């Protein structure tokens, strides 16, 4: 074994965990799928099969939903909000205590660089859980002065209660396995709901590991059930299940529309976090020392497999050359490699299929009038690596500028001294509306432009500012509803109004 290979081997603890059974987690027990199906988990950096997990079918989804329904009436419902918060805080502690294990498992199933995994485990694992633990004790209704049935003042009392919405089905993608699971689990636990979580077929391991840690922290059995499986089987069964009250979905816009159709049967409530093609608008007075690394991080974080990615740059023509040159130099210098190697700055794409899809877009870009300024190729050998790719002189007629690529591809176009509305119209010329950023030192331009961008989130002189407390979600075809912050709790609650006539 070479020295390099030795440094990237996972720890003994991780190897032992990987060798465990990885059955479904239903009602606090690890159980095989009724069909006996197994799904292989591949390391996208080496193409090696890391392990296999049970693959849930519709019968298993029935079992998991029944367990979640029972748990909604069990011990969980009798716990006080303080007790719920304490369980969540212990869950956060378990996440932090298992940082190396979670990081290695996440790197092996997803490919992201270890440093980024560790950052997300702390920020979107432990900190996110603690933030929502704080909300558990602050959920309350109102008293409302009313006069139904012509009762006189003081003869009635109307109050509202915020109740857990019930059994939640969560369906998540593979691009950030830990964060995607925690973003669903934390508000659900704070609200007192129970959950059936279906991770992506490509990255089921971190979700199973989180399920184990939740039970270790004292989450009662049945409150969190984890059912890896295929989208068209397990996911569709969950989305269409008559005994699920709400679906919280993160994934593609196309599947989001399927979820809405599937949920119509029992009119379950639905929130959707979908795709994006976010604008990054740079005015001529912007600080390029910040805008250049901001654009590179914004676009190539998670190899561009990131819904908020700054994939469409609008750069004033006066600063176009220095901006593009700076971006190409920095992006071209990102060292690709397996995530467990500390030298790697860029992991592989998630799968062969995803690599081929992204390369199809890159080929379309090469055949267009856009100019290729860096990258444009996949790495030979094992692993699904694609070099960070930057196209200049793009426009919104081009496929690469219009469609969500979900890979390391940036499209840059210019604007001249036009009014802000013209720039905003071009930035908003997309079916998506998730994120966006404005770069300028002029505060009035910054705030006016931020107001004009049609997306759920806009950042000024940074891109995609995310924090547990900042509401996050999409306009247009980027989604329904918001996650994060107080607004992120709302979809997990329902209001009951009670009136007493004295
Ligand atoms: P996807 O194909 O939509 O899959 C997402 C999840 O849905 C997976 O668990 C998938 O299972 C499941 N699924 C697929 N078909 C289904 C069906 N008919 N019924 C129910 N569930 C089904 O998305 P992806 O390719 O994994 O992820 C990339 C997309 O996610 C991008 O569009 C990206 O922008 C979006 N995303 C959005 C956010 C956000 O917060 N807005 C965050 C991250 C990613 P399988 O794994 O078996 O396919
Ligand atoms: Mg998919």
């Amino acid at each position: 074994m070479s020295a390099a290979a030795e440094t990237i081997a996972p720890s003994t603890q991780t190897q032992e965990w990987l060798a465990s059974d990885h059955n479904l987690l239903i009602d606090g027990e690890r159980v095989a799928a009724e069909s006996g199906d197994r799904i292989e988990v591949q390391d996208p950096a080496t193409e090696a099969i890391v392990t296999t997990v049970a693959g849930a079918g519709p019968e298993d989804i029935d079992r998991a939903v029944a367990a979640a329904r029972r748990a909604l009436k069990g011990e969980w419902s009798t716990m006080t909000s303080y007790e719920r918060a304490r369980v969540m805080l212990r869950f956060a502690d378990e996440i932090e205590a298992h940082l190396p294990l979670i990081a290695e498992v996440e790197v092996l199933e997803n490919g992201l660089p270890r440093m980024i995994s560790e950052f997300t485990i702390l920020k979107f694992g432990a900190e996110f859980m603690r933030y929502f633990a704080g909300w558990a004790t602050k959920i309350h209704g109102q008293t409302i002065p009313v006069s139904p049935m012509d009762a006189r003042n003081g003869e009635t009392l109307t109050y509202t209660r915020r109740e857990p919405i019930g059994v939640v089905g969560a369906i998540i993608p593979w691009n950030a396995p830990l964060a995607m699971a925690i973003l669903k689990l934390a508000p659900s636990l704070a609200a007192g709901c129970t959950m059936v979580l279906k991770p992506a077929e490509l990255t089921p391991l971190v979700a199973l590991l989180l399920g184990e840690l939740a039970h270790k922290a004292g989450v009662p059995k049945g409150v969190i059930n984890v059912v890896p499986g295929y989208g068209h089987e397990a996911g569709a069964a969950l989305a269409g299940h008559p005994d699920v009250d709400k679906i919280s979905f993160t994934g593609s816009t196309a599947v989001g529309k399927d979820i809405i159709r599937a949920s119509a049967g029992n009119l379950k409530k639905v929130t959707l976090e979908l795709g994006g093609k976010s604008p990054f608008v740079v005015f001529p007075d912007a600080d390029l020392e910040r805008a250049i690394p901001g654009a590179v991080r914004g676009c190539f974080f998670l190899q561009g497999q990131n819904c908020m990615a700054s994939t469409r740059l609008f750069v004033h023509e006066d600063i176009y050359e220095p901006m593009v040159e700076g971006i190409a130099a920095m992006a071209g210098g990102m060292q690709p490699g397996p995530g467990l190697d500390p030298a790697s700055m860029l992991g592989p794409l998630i799968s062969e299929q995803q690599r081929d899809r992204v390369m199809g877009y890159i080929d379309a870009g090469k055949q267009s009038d856009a100019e290729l300024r860096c990258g444009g190729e996949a790495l030979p050998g094992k692993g699904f690596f694609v070099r960070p790719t930057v196209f200049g002189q793009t426009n919104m007629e081009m496929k690469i500028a219009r469609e969500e690529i979900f890979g390391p591809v940036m499209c840059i176009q210019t604007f001249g001294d036009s009014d802000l509305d013209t720039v905003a119209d071009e930035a908003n010329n997309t079916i998506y509306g998730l994120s966006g950023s404005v770069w300028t030192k002029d505060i009035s331009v910054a705030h006016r432009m931020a107001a004009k961008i049609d997306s759920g989130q806009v950042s000024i002189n940074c891109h995609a500012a995310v924090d547990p407390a900042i509401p996050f979600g999409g306009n247009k075809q980027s989604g329904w509803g918001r996650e994060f912050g107080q607004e992120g709790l709302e979809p997990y609650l329902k209001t009951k109004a009670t009136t007493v006539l004295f």
Side-chain angles (χ1 to χ4, degrees):
M1 199 190 273
S2 75
E6 273 170 50
T7 59
I8 61 171
S11 66
T12 315
Q13 186 197 16
T14 301
Q15 290 180 27
E16 280 169 14
W17 188 84
L18 288 173
S20 62
D21 68 25
H22 308 304
N23 277 333
L24 312 175
L25 179 61
I26 297 179
D27 214 5
E29 308 289 332
R30 302 307 290 265
V31 292
E34 266 180 30
S35 64
D37 277 357
R38 306 290 299 180
I39 298 178
E40 289 184 337
V41 183
Q42 186 182 36
D43 175 355
T46 61
E47 303 182 28
I49 300 304
V50 175
T51 187
T52 66
V53 300
E59 339 55 70
D60 304 303
I61 298 297
D62 283 344
R63 280 197 288 172
V65 171
R69 179 62 60 192
R70 279 194 303 277
L72 198 60
K73 295 235 168 74
E75 181 193 352
W76 186 233
S77 66
T78 64
M79 285 168 69
T80 66
S81 57
Y82 292 93
E83 287 169 328
R84 236 168 38 235
R86 272 202 297 276
V87 167
M88 292 176 71
L89 293 171
R90 281 201 299 270
F91 188 7
D93 292 343
E94 290 292 344
I95 291 169
E96 223 163 57
H98 290 82
L99 179 81
L101 173 63
I102 305 173
E104 290 190 344
V105 171
E106 187 171 46
V107 169
L108 288 174
E109 70 175 347
N110 169 279
L112 79 177
R114 182 181 190 130
M115 218 176 59
I116 299 205
S117 173
E118 289 181 353
F119 165 77
T120 57
I121 293 165
L122 295 175
K123 183 86 184 169
F124 300 107
E127 216 170 284
F128 201 90
M129 190 58 68
R130 291 190 182 114
Y131 172 83
F132 274 98
W135 276 117
T137 51
K138 293 157 198 75
I139 296 170
H140 53 71
Q142 297 175 313
T143 57
I144 307 172
V146 294
S147 55
M149 294 134 196
D150 291 330
R152 270 178 295 169
N153 194 21
E155 293 187 334
T156 66
L157 169 66
T158 293
Y159 60 88
T160 59
R161 288 160 52 95
R162 308 304 314 281
E163 299 172 345
I165 202 153
V167 174
V168 177
I171 302 176
I172 58 174
W174 40 258
N175 66 325
L178 173 115
M180 292 299 131
I182 294 289
L183 263 48
K184 308 298 184 205
L185 289 169
S188 176
L189 291 170
C193 296
T194 61
M195 178 168 277
V196 177
L197 170 66
K198 192 208 87 69
E201 74 195 50
L202 297 172
T203 57
L205 294 175
V206 165
L208 287 169
L209 177 51
L210 285 175
E212 282 175 21
L213 297 180
H215 287 97
K216 223 171 147 196
V219 173
K221 62 181 193 157
V223 172
I224 297 175
N225 306 278
V226 186
V227 286
Y230 295 109
H232 62 276
E233 288 175 8
L238 192 55
H241 203 287
D243 209 24
V244 169
D245 299 298
K246 171 193 162 51
I247 290 284
S248 179
F249 174 78
T250 299
S252 62
T253 293
V255 175
K257 291 177 185 179
D258 290 339
I259 299 285
I260 293 171
R261 281 186 281 269
S263 63
N266 68 337
L267 289 181
K268 53 177 74 67
K269 312 301 175 255
V270 176
T271 44
L272 304 170
E273 293 288 342
L274 308 176
K277 193 80 181 174
S278 295
F280 184 111
V281 183
V282 196
F283 288 92
D285 68 329
D287 179 355
L288 298 196
E289 305 260 302
R290 287 172 66 185
I292 289 168
V296 171
R297 265 198 309 273
C299 187
F300 300 117
F301 180 68
L302 300 176
Q303 295 75 248
Q305 301 171 136
N306 157 22
C307 53
M308 306 166 285
S310 52
T311 45
R312 289 185 305 135
L313 261 63
F314 297 86
V315 180
H316 190 276
E317 56 197 13
D318 289 354
I319 51 161
Y320 176 77
E321 260 317 309
M323 185 81 193
V324 178
E325 235 179 78
I327 289 171
M330 199 168 173
M334 288 177 88
Q335 170 72 38
L340 291 183
D341 183 340
S344 304
M345 296 166 71
L346 193 87
L349 299 189
I350 190 70
S351 64
E352 182 175 11
Q353 189 194 5
Q354 177 73 353
R355 192 255 326 266
D356 294 348
R357 212 182 128 260
V358 170
M359 286 311 297
Y361 278 103
I362 291 177
D363 290 340
K366 287 177 175 168
Q367 279 155 32
S368 72
D369 292 333
E371 52 175 37
L372 179 66
R373 295 293 295 256
C374 117
E377 57 190 10
L379 293 191
K382 289 281 180 201
F384 311 121
F385 294 93
V386 172
R387 287 202 187 279
T389 298
V390 177
F391 285 106
Q393 304 300 356
T394 62
N395 62 58
M396 290 308 297
E397 301 299 306
M398 294 175 182
K399 186 179 160 79
I400 50 169
R402 276 198 323 273
E403 296 179 17
E404 184 185 48
I405 299 174
F406 222 58
V409 183
M410 184 190 289
C411 294
I412 310 183
Q413 60 189 85
T414 56
F415 63 90
D417 289 322
S418 33
D419 62 300
L420 292 189
D421 282 318
T422 310
V423 184
D425 285 350
E426 196 66 352
N428 292 332
N429 183 8
T430 165
I431 60 166
Y432 299 110
L434 191 57
S435 192
S437 58
V438 182
W439 298 74
T440 174
K441 295 193 190 101
D442 182 330
I443 56 165
S444 69
V445 169
H447 289 288
R448 281 163 61 213
M449 192 65 197
K452 289 176 194 296
I453 290 182
D454 187 1
S455 63
Q457 192 203 35
V458 186
S459 310
I460 297 172
N461 293 330
C462 58
H463 185 82
V466 271
D467 181 275
I470 302 177
F472 178 83
N475 296 352
K476 298 193 273 183
Q477 294 191 38
S478 286
W480 279 1
R482 296 290 179 266
E483 290 190 321
F484 294 64
Q486 186 175 7
E487 281 194 53
L489 192 62
E490 290 299 313
Y492 294 85
L493 295 168
K494 58 189 176 191
T495 298
K496 177 181 286 163
T498 304
T499 296
V500 197
L501 185 59
F502 296 123

